Every structure is written in C-alpha cells, then in structure tokens.
Amino acid sequence: MEIVKAAYLISSPALADCPKADRPEYALIGRSNVGKSSVLNMITNKEGLAKISRSPGKTRLINHFAIESTPSAEVRGPVTSWYLVDLPGYGFAKVSHAQRKQWEKMIEEYVRKRETLGVLFVLIDSRHEPQAIDLEFIGKLGEWQVPFALIFTKSDKSTQKEVAANVRRFLDEMRKEWEFLPPHFVTSAVKKTGRKALLEYINESNASYAAAHAAAPVGRAQAGTTSRKPLP
C-alpha cells in the first residue's frame, strides 16, 4: 500500500458527532503514554500529523484523520479512502473521576457502535511485562466482540531479546483466556519498524471491508480478522 494523502479532519466529543460512516476506519487506543500519535505519524509517514505531547492524557476527543491510498507505489490503481482514528488513552492521565467516566463511556460507545470500524489497534508498550490494565481492556473487547489487533510500540527502546520476551509473555497471558490470538505487530516509530506489515494488513482489511459492504450494505461491516471472545 502507498499512502498518497493524509490530513487531520475533525475532533468529536461523542459518537454522534463523528464524520459520516461511509468508509472503513481503524482506531488506535492504548495507555496514555504508549505512543499513539507516534504510531499514527509512522503509518501515514507524515511527521507532525498527530501532535505528540510530553504530558500523557492530552487526547480527549475522537480524532479522525482522512487517508487516501493506492495498492502500491508501483501500481497506482484506484484510490481508497479510509480513516485513521486517535482515541483517548486509558490509564494514569491526571483527570477527575467524572472526566475519566466520560471518556470510558465515549470510548465504549464508539468501539461498540461505530458501523465502519474495521479493526481497533490496541497499543502495548513493548518495554514492559504484561500490564493488568491492558489485559483488562482487551477482555472487555472480547465481551463486546470487537475485532482488534495488537501493536507493540517502542521496540527501539529495548534490546530485541527484551522486546521478544515481553511480547511472548503478553501473548502467553492472553492464551490463558483466549482460544484464538489476534494479529500482532512489533513497531518502532523511530526506525519505522513494522510499518510495511501494518500497511499490508490495512490494505487487506480495506479489501475485506469493500467485499463485506457490497454484500451487506446495512449494518456493521467489519474488516480484517475478527478476534474471538474469551473462553468460558
């Protein structure tokens, strides 16, 4: 896939305020300091598209970015339009209890009801061993039957051995509750590690979305691999 255009579109305080659901979209979510903006900029290859803050918790709205892509740099072909979405992080952002509850409600409504959400990318910091807050959020996605994939971030901050060990530990923790594991990607926004694999995955998901949407234009048409709910 070759991205030919990427631009910020709108920030919405609620699902009802989001752009018309007329194309596939892929949302990024994770703990407040996991590097969502850096990953979004890496995917689009456009530094500064999403603003990077040194203070966790600055993303407080549903931020849509309009993307246009072609199958490859060599084969321009038809242009596909889709959205990347930056969601508020979960975790230790210093906000009031009421504000946190408002965010949680907004996120749940979006991921459960947004008809054109193909895949939710859950970002995990590869520098750390499995964190309960990440596993708990993924458990909710299983209960809600929301399709998702994992992006392990900041792989340049540790050795390859440490990153591989932490990824393995996280997946092993998931295997205790999950029958099937979702796709996962190991990335570095600095070195652009994992970008090609992510673009290929999104390209395939766009094709699946188009096929599903043509067959069932009414209702939620999910793209990509659907993660299975936790085992009883």
Side-chain angles (χ1 to χ4, degrees), residues 126-173:
S126 70
R127 298 174 298 175
H128 306 305
E129 294 187 355
Q131 302 292 304
I133 190 170
D134 294 321
L135 294 166
E136 289 169 3
F137 180 77
I138 288 171
K140 289 182 181 179
L141 297 180
E143 295 172 8
W144 300 337
Q145 299 190 44
V146 173
F148 70 94
L150 303 177
I151 296 179
F152 291 92
T153 65
K154 305 182 181 182
S155 65
D156 59 292
K157 305 297 184 182
S158 303
T159 66
Q160 290 185 356
K161 183 177 180 180
E162 290 170 337
V163 170
N166 286 333
V167 170
R168 184 178 65 252
R169 291 185 187 109
F170 194 92
L171 297 178
D172 285 345
E173 284 296 318

Side-chain angles (χ1 to χ4, degrees), residues 69 103 193:
S69 63
W103 285 359
T193 305

